[in-house]
Amino acid sequence: MRKFLDGLYATSGWLAGLSMIGILLMVLLTIISRILGFSAPGTDAYAGYAMAGAGFLALASTLKRGEHIRVTLVLGMLKGKARKALELAALAIATLLAGFLAYYSARLVWQSWQFDDISVGIDATPLWIPQIVMALGTAIFFIAFLDEFVLELLGKRTQPTQEEYNYE
Amino acid sequence: MSEIAVSVTLVIVLFALLGGSVWVGLTLCGVALFGMEMFSSRPAGDAMAMTIWGSSSSWTLTALPLFVWMGEILYRTNLSESMFRGLAPWVNALPGRLLHTNVIGCTIFASVSGSSAATCATVGKMNIPELRKRGYPDEQIIGSLGGPATLGLLIPPSIILIVYGVAAEASIAKLFMAGVLPGLLLAGLFSGWLMLWALRNPDKVPKADDSLTFKQKLWESRHLIPVVVLIASVVASIYTGVATATEAAAIGVVGAFILSASQGALNWQTFRDSLLGATRLYCMIALILAGAAFLTLSMGYIGLPRQLAEFVGSLNLSPAMLILALGLFYIVIGCFLDGISTIVLTMGVVLPIIQAAGIDPIWFGIFLVITVETAQITPPVGFNLFVLQSMTGKQITYIARVCAPYFLLMVAALVLLWFFPGLATWLPSQM
Amino acid sequence: QTQWDMATAYPAFNFHTQNNVQFAKDVQAATNGALDITVHSGASLFKAPEIKRAVQGGQAQVGEFFMVSFQNEWPLFGLDGLPFLASSWEDARKLYEAQKPALEKKLDQQNMVLLYSVAWPPQGIYTKQPITSAADLKGMKWRVYSPTTARIGELLGAQPVTIQEAELSQALATGVVDGLISSSATGADNKLYEHLKYYYNVQAWIPKNAVVVNKRAFNALDADTQAAVRKAAAEAEARGWEAAKAVDAKSIATLQDNGMVVEPGTEQLRRDLAALGQTIVQEWLNNAGDDGKTVLDAFHAAR
Ligand code: NA
Ligand code: NA
């Protein structure tokens, strides 16, 4: 289970990285098509979808590395049980909110499919397709929070390493 | 329920969630959800998903992740080190020495990027480690990044000036021109403050290297060539029409790769680290942006900013008092909402008031953008604060405190703008 | 008291927005405040591409959308964006009447009710260099923003450039774009005269906005209130079309006052464009099928 979850977060993190490359390629294609005078319709829209991929698919891996920011002022002042209680409360609220986000993101895909919602741009993409990355990313984000909550409850949660904080 | 009671309740919920160490992006979602459920009759979920999707996939924002990536690539080259070597001989004579590289770096990068977060992330990624390595105090490193990075909004190109121009029926070309002098004025104020601080705290500024002759200084400046070429090509791509301001970020990424390859720093590991590092930093910002988009929607339904603006309008103030009241209004609301949202939510109400008072819309646009700049560094919700927290690991209260002088400098700039309106209106009138 | 939110994308000074605000006031007066509509202008609630769906899903009870934008979804939404099909105000009105039954049916299927539809001023060609025929547009950097404008560019042999509205004025200043099709009003609002010299008032097409209400929200009103809304909507429609004409005249004057050369376009240019229009209408018909044919036949009969 542990292995599966970590694999899930890592995979979606890599997909987010690929999306980031996608943004670059789409924007470059827009520029090059204009210079060379060929038509590359819809690249602006695809760059936007790729950006959504980069943002949403990285949610879980960013959380697991402790890079989503929070204000830990009060938390830092507490010790022992009080600290654990606040940490659990924060994780519970965050899990609920992430679940809310994930549920309605999935509903968005479903409704776009039902409404036949199509991009108004030249790309004419059925919107449920790119919106899958939002549903997927937020669902994995929810799982990651649930994971953190359970680990904290069991006392097995390791504080994310903050190596990136110091550049040296 | 009165507007004041609604505002107070929402602020309490915001502080409770933030103080309870709930992640910032989710906190904003939580406040938005609470507000919509409590103070409007509209169901929140579907509208939230639609809005978040719209803002997260909007082409206009694509420059942000790309600039973040550019910063991550450059951080893995020795560009910042050579830039510091090139600049050091020149700024060493100034009190505050290399701290000025933050102001200079932000001012230059602001002419490439239209957003404050991108400016903060890119310049910060390069400058923070170099300045720390040289022994400059954290409080000044962080403050002199957080404040000046907001220039990304004022110095053209600027996303927010475009948003304002469209709403106010003002010429975007003129607004861009109007932002130049106030932008430089602010940069000057920031540098001036650094000098003042350095003169009063000489022991906190690391020693300069040996003084050089003018010729030696020029020779040292050769280290600036890579960074100058990189920035110049991005700027040139915009002004020659090769790329739009949004697309220029992609030119920046390609340029950063070329630079990295030419230094032999580009390999699989640096590529992977820069890519995944950039994706995560962007993701951190994107979650907060998503929360901010939902909060904006919630505010739109509740109508709070609009009612407050209507209230200001109903006071029938003289132009001077009106500007004072609006300045206060935008600064206070900027503590809690991000700047572009505030403008979008209130323009419909505020513009007619401004027109009726006979205030120049170009001037007002610049005034507004400076208030929005303050919003980037005022707690509890300030994007530059969050970016700096993520890059330095410091508490947000600490970052807000070290950025506070820059907030006051911006307020001073607002006052100067009132007494010398030509700062904003002179350049565009020459067009 | 019932409260509705009306989502619109255009800024407060725009004539569509002003017309919508008046509509909301009329409804409030006619129902003695029983129905209160808040107009959220300038995309402050939802952005342009989201508004139709927001009304469909009930996130906003009322909304205004630009029909041509939605032709990917249903070709008939793009009817009033077909070039040189209806180039005068009278024809545009007839086209609307012909389109209306199919439009209402489609919106009904999508859980919406059409309240009114108001035109934009006619579309003309903006260029940096003077043109006398379609051949002069060949190779020009041509701004495209929709399937139709892309197809026009392709048929003209122009070089298509995708530029979003937000970056239009900068793109013109730096020479990314040197020609585009847009209305006189958009040209005046975006101050296109700062960068372009010529406006050919060829009246390529007269597109419309639709103001729609969520069906469930509308049906929840009592009969009197529904009638009041219908009445105010009819007035808004009449008022809006008149305003569009006035705005067209005023915008053309603004363009001229700011040094732009405004011309009707040469005979040759108009002939070339008419031929191009026929190609596009034919392609549209192939795509739109029987529904499209019925509407077009009704339009030609009314002419
Ligand atoms: Na800028
Ligand atoms: Na703030």
Side-chain angles (χ1 to χ4, degrees):
Chain A
M1 187 68 179
R2 183 72 265 145
K3 226 174 163 180
F4 168 76
L5 286 176
D6 289 340
L8 181 68
Y9 309 142
T11 310
S12 88
W14 269 104
L15 288 175
L18 289 178
S19 306
M20 181 73 108
I21 299 176
I23 309 175
L24 178 67
L25 292 182
M26 285 303 123
V27 178
L28 286 178
L29 196 57
T30 314
I31 299 174
I32 294 169
S33 71
R34 203 163 46 220
I35 296 175
L36 300 183
F38 66 90
S39 103
T43 44
D44 52 343
Y46 298 133
Y49 305 148
M51 181 173 71
F56 288 114
L57 292 172
L59 282 171
S61 59
T62 308
L63 174 71
K64 279 289 176 177
R65 282 177 156 253
E67 292 180 32
H68 278 303
I69 62 159
R70 57 200 294 216
V71 181
T72 51
L73 204 64
V74 178
L75 199 67
M77 289 189 289
L78 298 176
K79 283 200 175 64
K81 274 191 177 158
R83 185 188 167 106
K84 181 159 177 163
L86 182 62
E87 188 73 273
L88 278 175
L91 279 167
I93 293 173
T95 309
L96 284 177
L97 286 168
F100 183 75
L101 204 57
Y103 172 75
Y104 281 100
S105 300
R107 239 177 89 96
L108 180 78
V109 175
W110 179 70
Q111 283 193 338
S112 295
W113 183 71
Q114 276 227 314
F115 288 173
D116 269 332
D117 205 0
I118 295 176
S119 154
V120 299
I122 300 171
D123 60 304
T125 312
L127 283 176
W128 65 269
I129 299 173
Q131 283 167 351
I132 285 179
V133 298
M134 174 168 161
L136 203 63
T138 50
I140 300 174
F141 192 40
F142 168 64
I143 294 172
F145 263 119
L146 208 58
D147 182 12
E148 292 284 277
F149 180 78
V150 171
L151 288 175
E152 178 72 31
L153 204 62
L154 301 176
K156 286 185 190 163
R157 182 158 168 255
T158 45
Q159 284 301 318
T161 48
Q162 306 198 331
E163 75 220 270
E164 281 271 322
Y165 283 171
N166 297 307
Y167 288 100
E168 283 84 6
Chain B
M1 217 170 170
S2 77
E3 284 99 63
I4 300 297
V6 173
S7 315
V8 170
T9 316
L10 289 175
V11 169
I12 291 174
V13 174
L14 176 70
F15 275 106
L17 288 176
L18 274 184
S21 58
V22 175
W23 287 257
V24 173
L26 292 173
T27 293
L28 299 183
C29 284
V31 176
L33 181 60
F34 177 85
M36 256 181 100
E37 294 296 336
M38 293 296 291
F39 306 120
S40 88
S41 51
R42 319 287 182 224
D46 291 327
M48 169 196 75
M50 222 163 80
T51 299
I52 290 184
W53 166 256
S55 71
S56 315
S57 63
S58 154
W59 155 94
T60 36
L61 262 185
T62 50
L64 177 61
L66 291 179
F67 274 131
V68 168
W69 192 9
M70 172 178 155
E72 291 278 341
I73 301 165
L74 294 178
Y75 161 66
R76 289 172 176 81
T77 65
N78 62 19
L79 183 78
S80 30
E81 202 196 317
S82 57
M83 182 176 81
F84 273 73
R85 279 173 67 184
L87 278 176
W90 302 102
V91 294
N92 269 340
L94 296 176
R97 298 201 181 94
L98 284 167
L99 285 174
H100 293 281
T101 52
N102 273 347
V103 181
I104 298 171
C106 287
T107 310
I108 291 174
F109 196 76
S111 64
V112 177
S113 135
S115 100
S116 153
T119 309
C120 192
T122 314
V123 179
K125 190 81 197 178
M126 292 173 59
N127 282 14
I128 292 174
E130 290 294 326
L131 286 168
R132 277 185 167 169
K133 205 160 70 189
R134 286 169 170 74
Y136 285 86
D138 259 2
E139 48 168 316
Q140 290 304 319
I141 301 179
I142 296 172
S144 64
L145 256 174
T150 63
L151 289 175
L153 300 172
L154 186 58
I155 295 177
S158 154
I159 298 171
I160 196 164
L161 279 175
I162 292 176
V163 170
Y164 172 82
V166 170
E169 209 184 358
S171 157
I172 289 164
K174 284 189 177 168
L175 279 168
F176 275 13
M177 289 305 278
V180 173
L181 284 182
L184 295 176
L185 168 78
L186 268 173
L189 287 175
F190 296 152
S191 264
W193 160 252
L194 277 176
M195 290 191 235
L196 203 68
W197 172 84
L199 288 174
R200 294 186 53 190
N201 300 277
D203 49 316
K204 287 191 183 167
V205 183
K207 289 268 175 297
D209 310 328
D210 306 326
S211 58
L212 304 170
T213 65
F214 185 73
K215 227 172 141 184
Q216 284 170 313
K217 283 183 184 175
L218 273 185
W219 177 237
E220 280 297 295
S221 301
R222 71 187 186 282
H223 296 295
L224 288 175
I225 293 172
V227 73
V228 167
V229 169
L230 179 65
I231 296 288
S233 15
V234 180
V235 172
S237 76
I238 298 177
Y239 289 95
T240 57
V242 168
T244 67
T246 304
E247 295 161 355
I251 306 276
V253 173
V254 172
F257 273 129
I258 293 174
L259 197 90
S260 170
S262 72
Q263 294 182 349
L266 186 61
N267 54 42
W268 168 243
Q269 197 190 340
T270 55
F271 176 78
R272 184 195 62 195
D273 289 353
S274 75
L275 177 64
L276 295 183
T279 309
R280 287 196 305 269
L281 179 52
Y282 168 65
C283 173
M284 182 285 282
I285 301 173
L287 179 62
I288 300 176
L289 284 174
F294 182 25
L295 189 56
T296 305
L297 176 78
S298 173
M299 288 297 143
Y301 276 117
I302 302 172
L304 193 59
R306 174 178 163 129
Q307 284 153 8
L308 291 173
E310 272 167 4
F311 168 73
V312 173
S314 71
L315 298 175
N316 285 318
L317 300 167
S318 66
M321 291 308 285
L322 178 67
I323 288 298
L324 183 66
L326 284 175
L328 275 175
F329 165 70
Y330 280 109
I331 288 174
V332 170
I333 208 167
C335 293
F336 306 100
L337 293 175
D338 96 282
I340 296 188
S341 329
T342 323
I343 292 196
V344 171
L345 286 173
T346 56
M347 264 311 88
V349 175
V350 169
L351 274 172
I353 305 176
I354 289 299
Q355 276 156 359
I359 294 165
D360 180 358
I362 300 273
W363 180 90
F364 186 67
I366 301 305
F367 180 85
L368 211 53
V369 169
I370 298 180
T371 66
V372 171
E373 281 192 68
T374 67
Q376 309 297 318
I377 54 167
T378 49
V381 180
F383 272 85
N384 284 10
L385 301 180
F386 299 145
V387 171
L388 287 168
Q389 180 181 350
S390 140
M391 285 197 298
T392 63
K394 299 278 184 196
Q395 283 294 350
I396 194 155
T397 40
Y398 172 86
I399 298 172
R401 186 162 51 77
V402 299
C403 286
Y406 296 86
F407 166 77
L408 294 175
L409 291 170
M410 289 179 209
V411 174
L414 286 175
V415 175
L416 285 173
L417 194 64
W418 170 256
F419 286 107
F420 306 100
L423 283 169
T425 53
W426 181 75
L427 258 189
S429 72
Q430 302 299 306
M431 279 169 68
Chain C
Q1 195 206 25
T2 309
Q3 292 216 330
W4 280 1
D5 289 304
M6 179 175 195
T8 80
Y10 309 101
F13 65 81
N14 182 279
F15 76 96
H16 285 288
T17 308
Q18 287 169 354
N19 194 32
N20 294 331
V21 169
Q22 188 58 48
F23 164 74
K25 274 187 198 151
D26 291 350
V27 167
Q28 184 166 35
T31 60
N32 288 319
L35 178 58
D36 181 21
I37 304 177
T38 308
V39 181
H40 299 266
S41 64
S44 57
L45 202 57
F46 292 102
K47 297 191 183 66
E50 298 163 1
I51 290 175
K52 173 170 164 289
R53 188 197 161 129
V55 177
Q56 205 171 346
Q59 283 87 44
Q61 288 76 11
V62 196
E64 178 183 46
F65 68 91
F66 185 54
M67 283 202 277
V68 179
S69 284
F70 291 86
Q71 65 175 326
N72 287 338
E73 179 187 314
W74 185 52
L76 266 80
F77 278 134
L79 180 68
D80 52 24
L82 293 176
F84 308 102
L85 179 63
S87 292
S88 67
W89 290 106
E90 296 73 42
D91 280 357
R93 194 70 208 202
K94 283 173 190 152
L95 190 66
Y96 174 41
E97 297 303 334
Q99 182 188 24
K100 209 169 173 180
L103 185 63
E104 286 181 322
K105 197 172 137 210
K106 179 71 180 179
L107 289 171
D108 181 69
Q109 286 165 1
Q110 295 189 332
N111 196 27
M112 289 181 281
V113 177
L114 178 69
L115 286 179
Y116 53 94
S117 174
V118 172
W120 285 90
Q123 308 275 308
I125 297 177
Y126 290 87
T127 58
K128 245 177 203 164
Q129 305 297 332
I131 53 170
T132 55
S133 70
D136 292 339
L137 292 164
K138 208 171 190 143
M140 184 177 275
K141 289 181 206 145
W142 180 259
R143 186 217 174 191
V144 303
Y145 57 91
S146 68
T148 305
T149 53
R151 185 69 185 127
I152 293 174
E154 212 176 317
L155 289 172
L156 287 170
Q159 184 181 329
V161 175
T162 308
I163 291 287
Q164 306 270 344
E165 180 107 22
E167 289 193 321
L168 182 56
S169 83
Q170 197 211 338
L172 289 166
T174 57
V176 177
V177 172
D178 36 36
L180 65 135
I181 281 195
S182 196
S183 73
S184 54
T186 311
D189 289 355
N190 286 329
K191 306 192 168 22
L192 294 187
Y193 46 76
E194 287 176 351
H195 312 290
L196 297 173
K197 191 90 183 69
Y198 300 89
Y199 178 62
Y200 296 95
N201 192 10
V202 293
Q203 311 218 323
W205 64 89
I206 301 180
K208 299 189 291 288
N209 283 350
V211 173
V212 291
V213 57
N214 180 281
K215 192 159 76 180
R216 210 173 326 134
F218 189 71
N219 289 342
L221 300 175
D222 61 50
D224 287 349
T225 314
Q226 283 189 359
V229 171
R230 287 288 194 192
K231 183 165 170 290
E235 287 165 11
E237 187 164 277
R239 191 173 54 230
W241 281 74
E242 286 313 309
K245 289 177 203 172
V247 165
D248 188 30
K250 197 177 131 225
S251 304
I252 288 178
T254 307
L255 296 180
Q256 280 170 327
D257 290 348
N258 286 282
M260 205 164 215
V261 180
V262 177
E263 280 174 6
T266 62
E267 198 53 40
Q268 177 67 42
L269 178 67
R270 294 180 151 261
R271 256 204 311 277
D272 293 348
L273 293 174
L276 176 148
Q278 275 177 359
T279 312
I280 295 182
V281 170
Q282 192 53 50
E283 287 171 356
W284 178 85
L285 257 180
N286 297 341
N287 195 8
D290 288 343
D291 282 354
K293 193 170 180 314
T294 313
V295 171
L296 267 194
D297 288 346
F299 169 62
H300 287 304
R303 263 171 116 186

